[in-house]
Amino acid sequence: MRQLARLLRTSGKEHSIALINLDLDNFQSINNSLGHEIGNQVLQASGTCLRHLMRPDDWLARVGSDEFILLRPMAMADRGQALQWAEDIRRTLGNTPGMDTGLAVQPSASLGVALAPDHGQDPDTLLRCANTALMEAKQHGKNQLRVYSPEISLQLRERLELELSLARAIDREQLRLIYQPQIDRSGSRIAGAEALLRWRDQSGRTVSPNVFIPLAERTGQIHTIGLWVIEEACRQLHTWHRQGLRLGKLAINISALQLGAEHPSLSELLAGALQSYDLAPENLELEITETALLNDPGRAGEQLRQLADSGFSLAIDDFGTGYSSLAMLHSLPLDKLKIDRFFVDRLGNDDADLAIVKATIVMAKELGLMTLAEGVETREQLRMLQNLGCDQFQGHLLGRPMGADAFGSLLRGTAAA
Ligand code: C2E
Ligand code: MG
Ligand code: MG
């Protein structure tokens, strides 16, 4: 801090200072899994590597366990080169062979860059900016580099606020499930429903699951939220059963991270909920996105087989958007493909998309899978899909997602009809 203050004081109007905040990725897990001896080696190797990249006027300090600060005075006109400097550091660190530890894993670092006087003129402000940039870099995975900008600060704050309020959403009873009917081939009978999650935050704003599910996945909150979804869906299904209302299957969306979880595993959590509400695995369908299977096909396949053996029905969600191979689909115990809304939406306008949907349905039949078309909005789409031999439909034409009471009434109405 003294050195930074001195530099800021003495550098004239023509001078700028670049500050890099560097943090090693996964240092904690290197320490935990390989021991402190190796951890120390990685730190020393990083230090040596950074020192080799220094110029005579640069400053380097280790400010935390695996955190370094680098300072470089530069001519005002050259400060664009700060980014290049940081990029050199990132790349060189990442390529230092095993950091001399003989490790198979290559340690890497995340970097945040701030400039004086552009981003701040006192040590505190400058450090805070570099730290904000570093946090932003970390949000984007490992081995990343970010330069501070005021927008980053704002985005980060919004994200942190969202994260904090999401953490309390369950306690504050701000989550609920709504239900969208799934219609059978005839176009009129309810074959099942999909449970969709809604969050109304404290200001009464409804946050889309497209926003908060990825957020919850990043923070790990998905496990708590996912469990809440499982239990709430089972509780509701139990209520409908007690009212004498039956529906084929209730589908719930499962995140890739839930599928990968151990102790407790997804099957253990599901078994617990089924038992509490007197339900059978056959009552539920689990929707898994194509991308979830691609991340860790081994673990996902193992879990899916276990779930299928227990009697759960398995559907691939958003099919067509994730580039999964047919061979992989065939090797998994799946029951249904849900054709993504993207293709349904373009059915009338685009011959190529028609061909894709047609081929998907044919292929699914060959593999013994049911097909469901998502996002059916027009009669024309429904008719085309029926002609192509699609088994089930879901979309605004056939029913929007609705509250549990409304869905109960709908079930009662069709039961009476
Ligand atoms: P999804 O599973 O593919 O769900 C279908 C989405 O399409 C829903 O959006 C639904 O409201 C919307 N939709 C249905 N019919 C139509 C239509 O005819 N036209 C249009 N334009 N849209 C239609 P929603 O509820 O916003 O959910 C978005 C995504 O969030 C879901 O996509 C799913 O991936 C995720 N999600 C929702 N609930 C959960 C949950 O409980 N757990 C997890 N892990 N993910 C969830
Ligand atoms: Mg879904
Ligand atoms: Mg979908």
Side-chain angles (χ1 to χ4, degrees):
M1 289 298 270
R2 255 202 316 272
Q3 178 64 12
L4 180 57
R6 196 183 61 75
L7 272 177
L8 285 165
R9 223 176 24 245
T10 55
S11 69
K13 282 240 173 302
E14 290 79 51
H15 280 88
S16 159
I17 294 162
L19 189 155
I20 296 178
N21 192 355
L22 180 152
D23 190 283
L24 296 180
D25 298 322
N26 297 338
F27 184 66
Q28 191 66 37
S29 43
I30 292 179
N31 253 344
N32 291 346
S33 56
L34 300 168
H36 287 96
E37 197 57 43
I38 301 281
N40 287 343
Q41 275 182 45
V42 169
L43 278 180
Q44 284 173 352
S46 312
T48 309
C49 171
L50 291 175
R51 215 175 301 142
H52 282 312
L53 290 169
M54 282 173 75
R55 290 188 193 155
D57 285 345
D58 288 356
W59 243 78
L60 167 65
R62 178 173 167 234
V63 292
S65 67
D66 62 342
E67 206 174 320
F68 297 85
I69 297 276
L70 296 103
L71 300 176
R72 171 169 288 184
M74 347 180 89
M76 207 55 153
D78 292 343
R79 66 197 198 287
Q81 293 172 11
L83 183 65
Q84 190 55 50
W85 176 39
E87 176 58 23
D88 285 346
I89 293 176
R90 187 194 65 78
R91 221 185 16 236
T92 314
L93 257 182
N95 289 331
T96 307
M99 296 244 197
D100 299 335
T101 57
L103 297 182
V105 290
Q106 178 69 48
S108 62
S110 300
L111 291 81
V113 184
L115 289 171
D118 309 66
H119 303 141
Q121 310 205 34
D122 61 281
D124 275 334
T125 310
L126 211 55
L127 276 171
R128 194 153 27 82
C129 291
N131 194 252
T132 300
L134 174 62
M135 283 165 77
E136 174 70 17
K138 292 239 167 213
Q139 292 271 355
H140 287 82
K142 296 174 197 115
N143 205 5
Q144 296 280 323
L145 159 65
R146 286 293 180 282
V147 179
Y148 174 79
S149 79
E151 296 84 68
I152 286 189
S153 205
L154 191 68
Q155 279 172 15
L156 205 67
R157 199 165 60 227
E158 282 179 354
R159 203 150 57 206
L160 285 175
E161 276 167 13
L162 203 62
E163 219 174 281
L164 281 178
S165 43
L166 180 58
R168 296 183 212 122
I170 293 181
D171 295 338
R172 293 179 176 168
E173 302 187 0
Q174 292 169 345
L175 295 183
R176 72 188 190 111
L177 289 179
I178 55 175
Y179 302 87
Q180 185 174 34
Q182 299 180 327
I183 307 297
D184 79 356
R185 198 186 306 250
S186 69
S188 56
R189 206 187 67 85
I190 299 177
E194 175 175 5
L196 294 160
L197 189 54
R198 287 294 174 271
W199 174 28
R200 255 169 86 95
D201 72 4
Q202 55 274 30
S203 60
R205 203 168 40 138
T206 303
V207 189
S208 161
N210 289 322
V211 172
F212 73 83
I213 295 286
L215 177 75
E217 288 178 334
R218 267 205 304 277
T219 60
Q221 290 161 322
I222 190 67
H223 297 289
T224 323
I225 293 177
L227 179 58
W228 182 88
V229 169
I230 291 171
E231 290 185 333
E232 175 62 14
C234 289
R235 190 194 61 74
Q236 185 58 55
L237 198 54
H238 175 74
T239 305
W240 282 328
H241 284 181
R242 272 211 331 232
Q243 295 169 350
L245 300 172
R246 295 268 152 191
L247 81 163
K249 285 181 194 296
L250 181 58
I252 52 184
N253 291 285
I254 299 290
S255 149
L257 292 178
Q258 290 173 272
L259 203 58
E262 286 171 275
H263 322 294
S265 67
L266 179 60
S267 9
E268 287 165 336
L269 294 180
L270 284 163
L274 290 179
Q275 199 182 2
S276 307
Y277 293 106
D278 197 18
L279 297 169
E282 288 71 21
N283 297 132
L284 294 184
E285 183 158 85
L286 309 176
E287 293 193 5
I288 293 127
T289 58
E290 235 186 322
T291 25
L293 300 180
L294 298 174
N295 290 343
D296 182 0
R299 168 78 185 146
E302 181 193 316
Q303 261 297 296
L304 290 180
R305 265 179 284 278
Q306 196 174 335
L307 291 165
D309 287 345
S310 315
F312 292 99
S313 161
L314 302 174
I316 293 296
D317 206 351
D318 306 341
F319 183 76
T321 60
Y323 310 102
S324 53
S325 74
L326 302 182
M328 187 188 75
L329 286 185
H330 186 52
S331 71
L332 293 172
L334 305 172
D335 298 280
K336 192 187 279 185
L337 288 190
K338 295 190 75 178
I339 303 168
D340 194 70
R341 186 165 96 217
F342 174 84
F343 299 104
V344 174
D345 197 34
R346 293 150 55 115
L347 261 187
N349 323 328
D350 191 317
D351 288 344
D353 287 309
L354 177 66
I356 291 176
V357 173
K358 196 168 166 180
T360 303
I361 293 172
V362 170
M363 171 202 81
K365 277 206 166 45
E366 289 288 320
L367 295 177
L369 301 175
M370 296 246 290
T371 45
L372 180 148
E374 294 187 281
V376 180
E377 291 181 352
T378 67
R379 298 227 148 268
E380 176 66 6
Q381 288 167 348
L382 178 63
R383 194 188 51 78
M384 286 174 90
L385 288 158
Q386 279 172 323
N387 287 342
L388 292 174
C390 188
D391 301 303
Q392 293 183 350
F393 316 95
Q394 187 180 340
H396 292 169
L397 174 71
L398 305 150
R400 291 186 179 250
M402 58 191 97
D405 290 344
F407 192 80
S409 306
L410 190 70
L411 277 179
R412 212 168 280 120
T414 49

